[in-house]
């Protein structure tokens, strides 16, 4: 019997289920972080499906957890929190970059479509010329 098997045998079933759910969620978060950081291909629909399933699974498992978790399980939760913090940071960077690219494209389109006829500067010049 391996150390993990012995440890799981001593844990309440809800904690064993929690560890299993954490394993799957960590795998998903690691995959997403790696793809974002390496600018690799990523199936966002699949990642979101997996995250949603993990959230549902964790919420179900949480109902049966004991009031106190053993140190190893608490450590797993802390490790997951660190990975989720990194995931949030990486996603925020991607969103900021997408917004910046969108703003650049908006400006470029506005400049390309405008011949200056209706710009604020042209309107002021027209008003100044009309009053003279």
């Amino acid at each position: 019997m391996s150390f993990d098997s012995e440890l799981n045998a001593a844990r309440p079933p809800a904690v064993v289920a929690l560890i299993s759910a954490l394993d799957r969620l960590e795998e998903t978060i690691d995959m997403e972080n790696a793809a974002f950081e390496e600018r690799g291909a990523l199936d966002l629909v699949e990642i979101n499906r997996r995250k949603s399933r993990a959230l549902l699974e964790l919420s179900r498992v949480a109902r049966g957890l004991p009031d106190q978790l053993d140190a190893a399980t608490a450590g797993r939760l802390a490790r997951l929190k660190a990975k989720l913090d990194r995931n949030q940071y990486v996603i925020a960077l991607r969103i900021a970059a997408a917004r910046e690219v969108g703003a650049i494209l908006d400006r470029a389109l506005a400049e390309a479509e405008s011949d200056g006829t209706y710009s604020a500067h042209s309107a002021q010049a027209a008003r100044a010329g009309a009053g003279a």
Side-chain angles (χ1 to χ4, degrees), residues 64-69:
L65 289 174
D67 292 335
Q68 283 293 103
L69 295 174

Side-chain angles (χ1 to χ4, degrees), residues 62-108:
R63 294 181 197 135
L65 289 174
D67 292 335
Q68 283 293 103
L69 295 174
D70 60 88
T73 304
R76 287 292 309 273
L77 289 171
R79 185 173 76 194
L80 175 62
K81 182 184 181 322
K83 288 182 180 193
L84 288 169
D85 288 345
R86 178 70 185 160
N87 186 252
Q88 182 180 5
Y89 173 76
V90 171
I91 290 172
L93 283 177
R94 297 277 296 217
I95 290 170
R99 284 186 178 140
E100 190 172 328
V101 168
I104 290 168
L105 291 174
D106 278 348
R107 284 192 301 273

Side-chain angles (χ1 to χ4, degrees), residues 27-64:
E27 179 185 331
T28 301
I29 297 301
D30 288 342
M31 183 181 3
E32 183 177 38
N33 286 346
F36 280 148
E37 290 170 351
E38 297 166 5
R39 294 179 178 87
L42 181 64
D43 183 352
L44 290 176
V45 172
E46 175 63 13
I47 289 292
N48 285 332
R49 187 186 63 73
R50 289 176 68 171
K51 283 181 173 180
S52 293
R53 186 179 338 131
L55 181 60
L56 177 62
E57 187 177 7
L58 287 172
S59 65
R60 287 179 178 164
V61 168
R63 294 181 197 135

